[in-house]
Structures are given as C-alpha cells and as structure tokens.
C-alpha cells in the first residue's frame, strides 16, 4: 500500500512538474526567444503597416469575421498582442516611435504634415520635425547587417525629408494611391540574389476619405452608418490585396512577418472623429502580431507598446541594443505589463492643447491642458470603450499614475531636428483631402 502511495505521489509530482514546465514555456517572451534560434535561417523580414486601422474592427479582436479574413487566418498562427498601444494617434510621431524605439518626446517628431491655414496661406514652405540623423533607425539596423532594405509607404508623412528614408536602399512614398499600386511597387522591386531582405509595406486604404468598396458593402447597409461601412469595406479591400501579395511568394517561407497599425480611428467616440485629436483607446490601441512558421501561436493579454518592435527585432538577430531606447525587447519578461506612454504633443501655435497618456495596472490616465487641468482615468480592462471616467472615484490611482507620468517627462528630453519642405498647390490640396490641413 505504501508503495502504491509513493507511486501515486510520484506521478502527481511528475504531472505538476510537467504542468509548470508547460506554463513557464508558454509565456510570450519564451516563445519569441525561439526566434533567436532561427535567426540564421530568416532571410526575409516583412514589416506590414495598415494606416488608420483600429483594433476592434478586426476579427481576432472581436470585429466582424468578414472584415479581414486573410489577416485573421494569419493571426491565428501568430503571436498576437491583444493590448498593443501606439506612441501617438497621428502617423508621423507614431511611425517615428516604431522606427526609433523612442516616444515622441524623445525622438522629437510631433508635427507631421500638419499645417494650419494661417501658415499655408502665407507660404507653401512647411516647417516640420524630422527623425534626428544621429538616431539609428529600424531599416538602418537591417541595412548595416547586410540586408537589402526596400520600402513603400502610401502616406506622405513617411517622407525622405522627415528622416524616414534613413537606412533604405529604396523608399517610395506615394499619395494615397491605393493598395493595388502599393502591391505593384513591391512586385517591381529588384534585389541581389542570395541577399537577405527587409520589406516595409505601408498601406493607406482605410484612411479618410473613406471610399465605398461596393463588393464589401453589406446589402442591409444603413445610411447613418455609411461612413463606418465604407471604412470597413476599405479594410476588406486592403486585406484582399495583402492576400494577393502573399500569394506571389516574393519572400521565402521562412520569412518573419510583423503586422501593425500606426494608430486607430474614432467615429464620434469621446466627441471626436478621425485621429490625432486625443489618446483614447479607439485611436491608440492597435493590432500587432508576429508570424514565423517556427513560432507557436499565442495570445498576449498584457500591455505592450509599438516602440517595442525595434528592440525586439534587434534582440532576435543578436545586434547591439541602443541604451536610449524607451521600448523594450519582447523577448524579456519585464517588457510585458510595464507602464507605457502615448504622447500627442502640439507646437505652441496649435489651437489644441497637448495630451499625454500612461497605462499601468490595467488603468489609463489621460492628461491634457495647462498644469494637468484635464484628467481622465479609465479601467481599460473592464471598460475598454472608456465609458466611465473614474477620476473622482479613484483619485489615489490617478495620483499614482500622474506621478509615473511626471517621472517619464523628466527622463524623456526631446532630441529633435527640424526640416523645411516646399509643397506645391496640388500637394496642399491633397493634404486637405486627407484631413492634414486644418
């Protein structure tokens, strides 16, 4: 009898040990560490951005299954970050954060192609921030490692003048010409045989003005939601073109795929439409996943930041990290669930005030106005739509997060450079169409 008990106890212990092993290796940082073992076989890295793509419109984040079926099928096989947040709700600062691993207050890109009528009426010269030349960017890491670096961005913000071309052997920037033309540019790329490649492919289609893609508009479409349905039809449109590009197999089967959005889009939530007006979840929570055939699928519930992408890729390939990064490698356990920040910073002449956000312990604090006069606090795990402002009910938590934000401000001095670009009349009219000219 004693022997039987010992055998049973031993079995239970073995099961417990095995279970703990499964739990320990199922952590996202453990899974991503597997990519380090595969890095010699990864010849192609494909970095895909869909502009203005809010997370909750996608099937794997609770959206309609018909909205993006191809991307959903890819997400099912990927490490999906359910709570990924952008550095800003505007393209230029958000993409600069991805390219540099820094928040906007550190890399200094805060304006983008945003001009005011008052300024544009006087001159077609726009003064803009740019990524400082001394900062090593995402494509520069790959270029220095011997990759051919190829990029196409269908958003004027991703311009040579603003520093986004640093590290690209070829970067094509177009004016919202659509997914079909983006694919055509990609298919025309030529690179030396047997050389590793880094692809950056930035689609613009869901961005305003929303164009109805009739093939994807539901028959029971209600007029009052026509702009939302048009937006969703553009997501399905770009999904079909991404599927078509994958079918051409211009990258290898062992390619590492990174998919993300620069920011989301508001449809009258919190008294705003579009983006670049506040830092609520509809505009800063973004889809983000990583796919590789040797990477086991996983859903990550803890918060991460898009500024983590550069440190993560550098860690996977074993390159030297930058000590000034504010993003963290997602191969490290401590990167998950740490306090993260978003910043919508304005120049002094801007009619709107700046906003800053900190997310920590399942809460988001949004701060705006002079001397932090406007405070909004939300429990984003239980109230992701941010219906209930808890600033009066949980003042202690608000003070705790405000203290974190103040520390962040002290540790994030701006390292900015400026540039001047000249826009012709057609360019200015295009900016108006996209909503960049106010």
């Amino acid at each position: 009898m004693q022997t039987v008990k010992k055998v049973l106890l031993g079995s239970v212990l073995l099961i417990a040990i095995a279970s703990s092993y499964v739990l320990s290796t199922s952590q996202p940082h453990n899974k991503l560490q597997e990519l380090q073992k595969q890095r010699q076989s990864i010849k192609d890295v494909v970095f895909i951005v869909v502009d203005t793509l809010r997370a909750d419109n996608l099937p794997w984040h609770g959206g309609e299954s018909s909205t993006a079926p191809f991307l959903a099928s890819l997400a099912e096989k990927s490490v999906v970050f359910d709570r990924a947040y952008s550095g800003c709700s505007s393209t230029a600062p958000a993409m600069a954060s991805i390219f540099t691993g820094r928040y906007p207050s550190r890399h200094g890109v805060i304006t983008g192609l945003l001009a005011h009528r008052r300024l544009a009426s006087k001159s077609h010269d726009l003064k803009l921030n740019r990524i400082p030349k001394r900062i090593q960017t995402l494509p520069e890491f790959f270029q220095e490692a011997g990759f051919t670096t190829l990029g196409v961005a269908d958003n004027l913000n991703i311009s040579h003048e603003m520093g986004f071309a640093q590290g690209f052997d070829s970067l094509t920037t177009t004016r919202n010409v659509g997914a079909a033309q983006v694919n055509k540019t990609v298919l025309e790329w030529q690179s030396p045989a047997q050389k590793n490649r880094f692809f950056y492919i930035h689609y613009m289609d869901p961005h305003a003005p929303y164009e109805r893609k009739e093939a994807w508009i539901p028959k029971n479409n209600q007029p009052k939601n026509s702009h939302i349905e048009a937006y969703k039809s553009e997501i399905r449109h770009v999904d079909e073109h991404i599927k078509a590009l994958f079918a051409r197999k211009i990258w290898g089967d062992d390619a590492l795929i990174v998919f993300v959005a620069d920011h989301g889009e508001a449809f009258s939530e919190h008294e705003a439409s579009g983006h670049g007006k506040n830092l609520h979840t509809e505009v800063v929570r973004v889809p983000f996943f990583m796919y590789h055939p040797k990477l086991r699928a996983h859903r990550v519930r803890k918060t991460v930041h898009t500024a983590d992408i550069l440190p993560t890729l550098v860690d996977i390939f074993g390159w030297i990290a930058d000590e000034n990064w504010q993003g963290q490698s997602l191969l490290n356990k401590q990167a998950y669930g740490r306090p993260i920040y978003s910043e919508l910073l304005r120049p002094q002449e801007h009619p709107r005030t700046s906003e800053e956000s900190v997310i920590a312990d399942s809460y988001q604090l949004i701060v705006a106005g002079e001397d932090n006069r406007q405070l909004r606090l939300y429990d984003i795990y239980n109230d992701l739509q941010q219906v209930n402002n808890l600033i009066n009910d949980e003042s202690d938590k608000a003070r705790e997060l405000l203290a974190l934000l103040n520390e962040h401000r002290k540790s994030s001095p701006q390292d900015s450079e400026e540039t001047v670009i000249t826009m012709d009349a057609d360019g200015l009219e295009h900016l108006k169409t996209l909503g960049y000219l106010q």
Side-chain angles (χ1 to χ4, degrees):
M1 188 67 176
Q2 189 70 19
T3 302
V4 173
K5 286 183 177 179
K6 287 182 178 179
V7 171
L8 288 173
L9 181 59
S11 299
V12 170
L13 286 172
L14 285 173
I15 292 171
I17 292 170
S19 298
S20 66
Y21 176 76
V22 170
L23 287 172
S24 65
T25 57
S26 67
Q27 297 297 317
H29 65 284
N30 294 125
K31 289 184 178 294
L32 292 176
Q33 286 170 3
E34 292 296 313
L35 290 174
Q36 288 179 319
K37 302 174 184 178
Q38 307 296 329
R39 64 189 181 203
Q40 296 300 325
S41 66
I42 299 174
K43 303 302 180 184
D44 294 324
V45 176
V46 185
F47 179 45
I48 299 174
V49 178
V50 175
D51 210 289
T52 320
L53 183 61
R54 60 184 280 169
D56 61 4
N57 272 218
L58 298 169
W60 62 97
H61 290 308
E64 299 168 10
S65 60
S66 61
T67 304
F70 174 73
L71 287 170
S73 69
L74 192 57
E76 287 177 1
K77 301 177 286 186
S78 303
V79 173
V80 175
F81 301 92
D82 286 328
R83 305 277 179 162
Y85 289 86
S86 175
C88 186
S89 58
S90 186
T91 296
M95 290 307 301
S97 287
I98 291 174
F99 272 41
T100 67
R102 294 159 166 83
Y103 294 120
S105 57
R106 178 70 66 84
H107 61 61
V109 177
I110 64 171
T111 54
L113 282 171
L114 178 63
H116 308 304
R117 287 194 182 97
R118 178 178 59 81
L119 299 177
S121 64
K122 295 180 179 180
S123 172
H124 290 173
D125 290 343
L126 304 180
K127 183 182 288 188
L128 303 169
N129 307 121
R130 57 156 290 137
I131 297 173
K133 296 181 181 69
R134 55 188 168 274
I135 293 180
Q136 188 173 7
T137 63
L138 174 63
E140 284 183 299
F141 273 95
F142 281 93
Q143 189 180 58
E144 290 187 7
F147 283 67
T148 298
T149 51
L150 303 165
V152 56
D154 200 17
N155 187 317
L156 282 174
N157 279 289
I158 311 303
S159 65
H160 291 242
E161 293 88 351
M162 293 182 65
F164 286 100
Q166 292 176 204
F168 278 109
D169 295 312
S170 173
L171 174 64
T172 302
T173 300
T174 51
R175 294 180 176 181
N176 195 21
V177 296
Q181 185 61 44
V182 169
N183 281 6
K184 182 180 178 182
T185 301
V186 174
L187 294 169
E188 290 173 349
W189 281 337
Q190 300 293 324
S191 61
Q194 307 301 319
K195 195 166 185 182
N196 295 3
R197 297 171 297 176
F198 171 78
F199 299 91
Y200 163 52
I201 307 168
H202 188 141
Y203 295 95
M204 183 74 163
D205 298 73
H207 195 288
Y210 317 122
E211 296 180 4
R212 292 171 60 90
K213 307 300 181 185
E214 295 295 340
W216 317 121
I217 295 289
K219 293 180 181 179
N220 62 348
N221 175 47
Q222 299 296 320
K224 67 177 182 179
N225 294 325
S226 60
H227 61 299
I228 297 177
E229 295 304 333
Y231 172 77
K232 291 180 180 179
S233 77
E234 293 214 85
I235 297 173
R236 180 60 187 268
H237 176 76
V238 75
D239 181 79
E240 286 291 316
H241 280 82
I242 294 172
K243 177 182 178 180
L245 189 60
F246 270 73
R248 297 296 294 268
K249 295 185 178 297
I250 65 170
W251 44 76
D253 293 336
D254 63 346
L256 173 60
I257 311 294
V258 181
F259 178 84
V260 74
D262 55 346
H263 53 73
E265 186 82 329
F267 292 97
S268 300
E269 299 94 340
H270 304 103
E271 301 180 351
S273 294
H275 53 271
K277 296 168 185 171
N278 60 47
L279 294 174
H280 284 278
T281 53
E282 60 268 15
V283 288
V284 292
R285 181 181 173 227
V286 295
F288 171 31
F289 63 73
M290 297 179 67
Y291 168 80
H292 185 268
K294 299 292 179 65
L295 189 62
R296 289 181 295 168
H298 190 76
R299 298 298 289 261
V300 181
R301 308 297 181 185
K302 292 186 176 180
T303 52
V304 299
H305 198 280
T306 56
D308 299 336
I309 292 173
L310 172 57
T312 300
L313 291 173
V314 167
D315 201 1
I316 288 170
F317 286 96
W319 302 328
I320 298 174
D322 185 335
E323 63 181 12
N324 292 309
W325 283 336
Q326 293 166 300
Q328 295 188 21
S329 169
L330 296 174
L331 276 63
N332 298 325
K333 185 176 182 179
Q334 63 268 25
Y336 296 87
R338 74 190 194 277
I340 59 173
Y341 303 88
S342 299
E343 301 166 338
L344 183 58
L345 305 177
R346 315 280 198 188
Q348 287 186 343
E349 65 272 19
H350 199 284
R352 297 176 185 266
T353 60
S354 296
E355 285 200 8
E356 297 165 279
S357 158
V358 54
I359 294 175
D361 301 329
S362 81
Y363 288 85
Q364 181 186 25
L365 178 70
I366 302 174
V367 178
E370 295 182 7
D371 301 322
N372 304 326
R373 290 178 185 173
Q374 302 172 31
L375 299 174
R376 305 187 293 279
L377 178 70
Y378 302 95
D379 179 350
I380 58 173
Y381 272 65
N382 296 308
D383 179 23
L384 187 57
Q385 306 304 317
Q386 298 181 316
V387 176
N388 299 310
N389 183 357
L390 303 175
I391 195 65
N392 295 322
D393 298 330
E394 300 199 34
S395 55
D396 288 345
K397 176 57 70 174
R399 279 192 288 269
E400 177 186 330
L401 267 60
L402 184 58
L404 286 174
L405 183 57
N406 285 330
E407 286 300 312
H408 166 71
R409 289 164 172 166
K410 294 176 184 176
S411 64
S412 190
Q414 194 172 104
D415 184 17
S416 62
E417 290 182 13
E418 287 188 339
T419 186
V420 175
I421 66 172
T422 299
M423 297 293 294
D424 58 22
D426 289 342
L428 288 172
E429 187 60 34
H430 187 71
L431 293 181
K432 290 181 182 178
T433 302
L434 296 177
Y436 289 137
L437 190 62
Q438 299 180 353

